[in-house]
Amino acid sequence: MTTVTVRLTVGQALVRFLAAQLSERDGARRRLIAGCFGIFGHGNVAGVGEALLEAELADPAMLPYRQARNEQGMVHAAAAFARASNRLSTLACTSSIGPGATNMVTGAALATINRLPVLLLPGDIFATRVASPVLQQLEDPTSYDVSVNDTFRPVSRFFDRVWRPEQLPSAMLAAMRVLTDPAETGAVTLALPQDVQTEAHDWPAELFRERVWHVRRPEPEPAALDRAAALIRSARRPLIVAGGGVIYSEATEALRAFAAATGIPVAMTQAGKGSLPYDDPSCVGAVGATGTTAANALAREADVVIGIGTRWSDFTTASRSAFAADGVAFVNINVAAFDAAKHAGIGVVADARAALTALAGSLGGWRVDPEYRERARRLERAYTARHSPLPGQAEILGVVNEVAAATDVVLTAAGSMPGELHRLWRVRDPQGYHVEYGYSCMGYEIAGGLGAKLAAPDREVFVLVGDGSYLMMAQELVTAVAERVKLVVVLVDNHGFASIGALSESVGSQRFGTSYRYRSPDGRLDGDYLPVDLAANAESLGVRVLRARTTDEFRNALEQARAADEITLVFIETDPLIPAPDGGGWWDVPVAATAALQSTRDARAAYQAAKQRQRDYL
Ligand SMILES: Cc1ncc(C[n+]2csc(CCOP(=O)(O)OP(=O)(O)O)c2C)c(N)n1
Ligand SMILES: [Mg+2]
């Protein structure tokens, strides 16, 4: 039999292959790689770049190319796209070699930590090495086999370097498998030496056929289910902690039914917020360091904690102080065995939806005590406060919550907003709350908003960004303008790092180096606020900007921005010293054991006292 072959470069074969990949779950198919972001340099312009041009000229829908402004930003956009697609679809990112490639490393870590699929295609140094060292090559005197792309290894769930065209098919197939594996997924990196990208090869035509990657829903092992059901039946004060896995698995309806049938209250992690709408009778809101008073009170007393699709970050457990009852035991439903084994829990390694359905059957009508069920959820009032002359941040968030429709998306990542939103935001849709808190990466906000909106063009996306995050990375505003991607960006200016300022104060470090100020004549960085005008900055990038001073002006501007059909940024200054409401959660941030400062010594004493609450969960 003769194999039919197609002669293409490595870059062309890669583009053609990616365009033909589909994912499938529950019978629904969609493109696995919906497009490609990129920034060209000598490491990809002639290889993958030429291939993308050919693809666009042949059929603009084949693998749509979008030009990004910062390589880190484009990976954030791809990760947000994947999150908003419940991990069933993502984007590829092509970069040059050297700095273009390493700019993607932060994005790769973010994707892997959040278990979000992204496909990274950094250019790499010549395979032939004839011209070495090439521009931007880091030379390792001990090995010619090393390039800066090796820094992707620890932050990727799959890494390969395609030294020869013959290696491409197996590398691409492995990449697709990992991207679509719910337990293994994360950043997948195929490093592409710049000469290899342009080499021609005779590929079997079969390589380019349409492929459907089934996203599995593993069923729980019956014995594990029995152990979990027995422990839950013995519980008097059980509590569910719903994580991101509930949303990715589209298990929200199964969770609602399970909680209603058993009466077990449901608390939510950052990634799991949206697992239930805020007003569902079973929902007690956010838990942990940024949790609500109600959820944290239930957590303190819980005898059995059922984690579903959570990796138990320190924010969720309040640094292992949230679950305080003697003998508290855990059931961990997770598609990843690694997470299911945490806190010495009974592991149910399974898809969240499959496990909840099976567990409901195993419990056969068991319900918690009615008295336990009746415990009320305490309401927060911070939204309706009115501070002057400058508003506090929580009241601004309250206005965003009111102006946003049920299916609109709120999106942020770092600073003081994630904690306040976790506690206060009234979520009404599983995709309505997009707070990246696995890596809590400053600079994710605007880039992530771009990706989330590309994934869900029918939803309004409210990007909430602090002045610190904005200054770190706002460049993808330009991409949003170019692509006519409509975002509502809320820029909250409090002259620096309000969150770290408050943290600094709590550890006795007196807000040192956390606000944006001039250096004083005495040499300290404590002069007047800098005259930075971020609203003017956004305007200069081609974004429509509305400036608000009061909460009422803010509401008005936000309504205009929501109604607009172009990207609009609403600028508001807030008072960084108005404290956010507190739900009693602790966070372990070690304090200096010896210090000249009294403030630090006091903080150390408070730290040591709080540390007593920390548990091992063994
Ligand atoms: C890339 C990155 N660098 C540093 C940090 C540590 N960090 C967390 S929040 C923050 C300040 C954020 O400032 P801003 O965006 O203005 O938000 P605010 O704290 O004022 O609410 C810093 C420096 C981080 N999360 N990400
Ligand atoms: Mg700030």
Side-chain angles (χ1 to χ4, degrees):
M1 199 183 90
T2 54
T3 311
V4 181
T5 59
V6 191
R7 191 161 179 79
L8 296 170
T9 67
V10 164
Q12 291 157 0
L14 176 67
V15 167
R16 185 145 357 151
F17 175 88
L18 295 180
Q21 308 306 303
L22 303 175
S23 74
E24 174 276 322
R25 189 170 70 180
D26 305 330
R29 293 180 179 189
R30 50 189 73 63
R31 290 187 68 158
L32 175 54
I33 311 294
C36 184
F37 269 114
I39 291 182
F40 295 128
H42 62 287
N44 62 340
V45 67
V48 173
E50 190 276 346
L52 286 162
L53 168 63
E54 278 199 26
E56 182 171 294
L57 293 175
D59 173 7
M62 187 171 157
L63 193 68
Y65 175 72
R66 293 188 181 86
Q67 182 187 357
R69 268 70 197 172
N70 177 303
E71 291 87 355
Q72 182 187 143
M74 72 191 183
V75 184
H76 292 337
F81 183 96
R83 175 165 171 169
S85 309
N86 283 329
R87 313 195 292 199
L88 298 169
S89 183
T90 187
L91 300 167
C93 297
T94 170
S95 82
S96 189
I97 72 167
T102 52
N103 268 357
M104 296 203 292
V105 173
T106 297
L110 179 144
T112 295
I113 284 171
N114 285 285
R115 318 277 162 85
L116 293 170
V118 295
L119 178 61
L120 309 183
L121 306 169
D124 213 322
I125 54 174
F126 279 67
T128 60
R129 300 179 186 158
V130 174
S132 291
V134 62
L135 176 69
Q136 300 170 332
Q137 176 170 346
L138 179 142
E139 290 179 278
D140 182 344
T142 67
S143 170
Y144 288 165
D145 190 33
V146 170
S147 83
V148 292
N149 283 345
D150 289 281
T151 57
F152 281 98
R153 291 180 189 270
V155 293
S156 299
R157 299 309 296 269
F158 179 80
F159 175 93
D160 202 6
R161 188 182 273 121
V162 182
W163 287 122
R164 294 187 53 83
E166 293 86 340
Q167 296 168 342
L168 184 67
S170 61
M172 292 192 304
L173 291 168
M176 298 303 113
R177 181 190 72 74
V178 175
L179 288 172
T180 52
D181 185 308
E184 285 184 48
T185 198
V188 166
T189 304
L190 298 182
L192 303 168
Q194 68 176 99
D195 50 349
V196 179
Q197 287 179 44
T198 63
E199 271 175 42
H201 184 73
D202 294 309
W203 311 92
E206 175 74 1
L207 181 61
F208 306 112
R209 70 173 168 81
E210 191 174 273
R211 273 162 222 270
V212 181
W213 297 86
H214 173 68
V215 179
R216 63 200 169 91
R217 286 192 180 279
E219 290 288 332
E221 189 190 9
L225 209 56
D226 288 349
R227 285 194 292 272
L231 180 63
I232 294 168
R233 268 203 217 91
S234 75
R236 304 214 22 93
R237 293 177 306 279
L239 176 69
I240 290 171
V241 174
V246 173
I247 293 173
Y248 300 143
S249 144
E250 294 172 282
T252 53
E253 174 49 30
L255 176 64
R256 192 206 55 74
F258 181 85
T262 58
I264 305 177
V266 178
M268 299 181 293
T269 72
Q270 276 280 13
K273 189 152 167 149
S275 301
L276 287 182
Y278 80 95
D279 54 356
D280 185 283
S282 302
C283 180
V284 294
V287 71
T290 52
T292 64
T293 320
N296 281 341
L298 293 172
R300 258 194 307 282
E301 301 163 11
D303 51 0
V304 173
V305 181
I306 306 159
I308 311 174
T310 173
R311 56 191 194 93
W312 291 122
S313 83
D314 65 346
F315 263 78
T316 299
T317 66
S319 301
R320 302 201 180 200
S321 70
F323 309 104
D326 280 341
V328 58
F330 291 81
V331 170
N332 299 319
I333 297 172
N334 207 296
V335 74
F338 172 69
D339 291 311
K342 287 177 177 172
H343 294 173
I346 291 179
V348 179
V349 181
D351 169 72
R353 198 174 83 185
L356 278 166
T357 310
L359 196 56
S362 303
L363 286 171
W366 175 87
R367 272 187 76 78
V368 298
D369 195 78
E371 209 174 297
Y372 177 64
R373 190 74 194 84
E374 289 313 310
R375 293 179 64 105
R377 195 156 62 95
R378 209 170 98 184
L379 294 171
E380 303 278 353
R381 288 203 206 94
Y383 268 6
T384 49
R386 288 291 175 267
H387 292 97
S388 70
L390 290 180
Q393 185 170 274
E395 50 196 287
I396 293 307
L397 301 181
V399 173
V400 181
N401 211 161
E402 281 159 26
V403 171
T407 57
D408 291 355
V409 180
V410 65
L411 185 147
T412 192
S416 54
M417 285 190 275
E420 293 185 24
L421 289 173
H422 190 213
R423 195 174 291 125
L424 298 172
W425 187 264
R426 295 174 186 149
V427 68
R428 290 164 285 177
D429 183 275
Q431 289 295 335
Y433 186 85
H434 186 138
V435 175
E436 188 283 296
Y437 217 61
Y439 212 38
S440 187
C441 186
M442 290 169 76
Y444 176 84
E445 298 86 351
I446 289 165
L450 171 67
K453 181 73 178 179
L454 288 172
D458 297 339
R459 294 175 188 261
E460 291 294 334
V461 176
F462 289 80
V463 171
L464 308 186
V465 59
D467 54 321
S469 277
Y470 182 96
L471 269 176
M472 204 170 272
M473 201 165 59
Q475 300 91 315
E476 301 315 322
L477 283 175
V478 178
T479 309
V481 169
E483 299 287 343
R484 299 183 203 287
V485 171
K486 193 255 163 137
L487 298 173
V488 179
V489 181
V490 175
L491 170 49
V492 177
D493 191 350
N494 51 25
H495 305 284
F497 308 158
S499 54
I500 305 299
L503 179 63
S504 168
E505 199 167 297
S506 78
V507 297
S509 296
Q510 309 180 1
R511 296 188 178 250
F512 173 64
T514 59
S515 61
Y516 291 153
R517 293 174 185 277
Y518 283 105
R519 190 162 297 284
S520 300
D522 67 1
R524 301 206 61 208
L525 207 56
D526 61 358
D528 288 342
Y529 283 138
L530 297 175
V532 178
D533 184 345
L534 295 179
N537 179 273
E539 255 159 9
S540 78
L541 301 178
V543 174
R544 176 174 176 240
V545 173
L546 304 172
R547 295 168 198 248
R549 278 179 316 244
T550 63
T551 305
D552 289 337
E553 281 180 23
F554 178 72
R555 175 188 304 272
N556 198 292
L558 200 64
E559 278 164 355
Q560 277 185 57
R562 190 181 183 282
D565 51 17
E566 61 177 322
I567 179 168
T568 306
L569 182 144
V570 181
F571 178 85
I572 178 106
E573 209 182 310
T574 60
D575 184 340
L577 299 180
I578 295 174
D582 181 27
W586 178 64
W587 187 33
D588 188 344
V589 178
V591 180
T594 179
L597 296 170
Q598 187 58 41
S599 60
T600 306
R601 290 203 293 266
D602 293 346
R604 174 71 183 183
Y607 174 69
Q608 280 173 314
K611 194 85 177 148
Q612 302 301 315
R613 291 158 57 190
Q614 198 161 39
R615 302 281 308 273
D616 283 325
Y617 305 143
L618 298 174

